[in-house]
Amino acid sequence: MATVLKVFDRWKEFLNERVQQAENAGMKDETINKLAVQIGEFLSDKVDPENQEERVLKELWDVADENEKKTIARLMVKLVTPGIS
């Protein structure tokens, strides 16, 4: 279980770094959130979940409608970057 959490923590760190780079490049929150939706689509279609957290996210993504996917993506960005809206 500890390994799974470390892997998920590494994913969150990676995502945080990418969001910070996007912000530093001058991207607005709305643009970052749109990119997060695109990344979510790619991950859902092309990447097999490696742990329970990723599996839950994929299953939620797969049953979500377009608005719910936007919400999931926004929440993932918010999870890794406190203070972003």
Side-chain angles (χ1 to χ4, degrees):
M1 178 63 109
T3 301
V4 169
L5 293 176
K6 286 180 185 176
V7 169
F8 192 65
D9 283 343
R10 276 185 283 185
W11 161 247
K12 292 190 308 186
E13 288 173 16
F14 172 81
L15 183 57
N16 175 274
E17 290 169 4
R18 301 296 82 75
V19 170
Q20 294 300 321
Q21 287 175 344
E23 287 178 333
N24 292 339
M27 285 188 180
K28 296 182 180 185
D29 291 349
E30 182 179 337
T31 303
I32 292 169
N33 289 327
K34 286 180 183 178
L35 288 171
V37 171
Q38 293 174 353
I39 292 168
E41 287 290 347
F42 174 82
L43 292 173
S44 178
D45 292 344
K46 307 288 184 195
V47 178
D48 188 39
E50 295 183 8
N51 57 50
Q52 291 175 338
E53 292 84 355
E54 291 173 4
R55 172 74 52 204
V56 168
L57 285 171
K58 178 175 178 19
E59 289 179 8
L60 287 171
W61 191 269
D62 289 345
V63 299
D65 65 25
E66 191 65 28
N67 286 329
E68 292 164 334
K69 287 178 181 180
K70 290 177 183 177
T71 299
I72 293 169
R74 247 188 339 268
L75 288 171
M76 284 301 298
V77 170
K78 192 173 184 177
L79 175 68
V80 301
T81 54
I84 197 169
S85 46

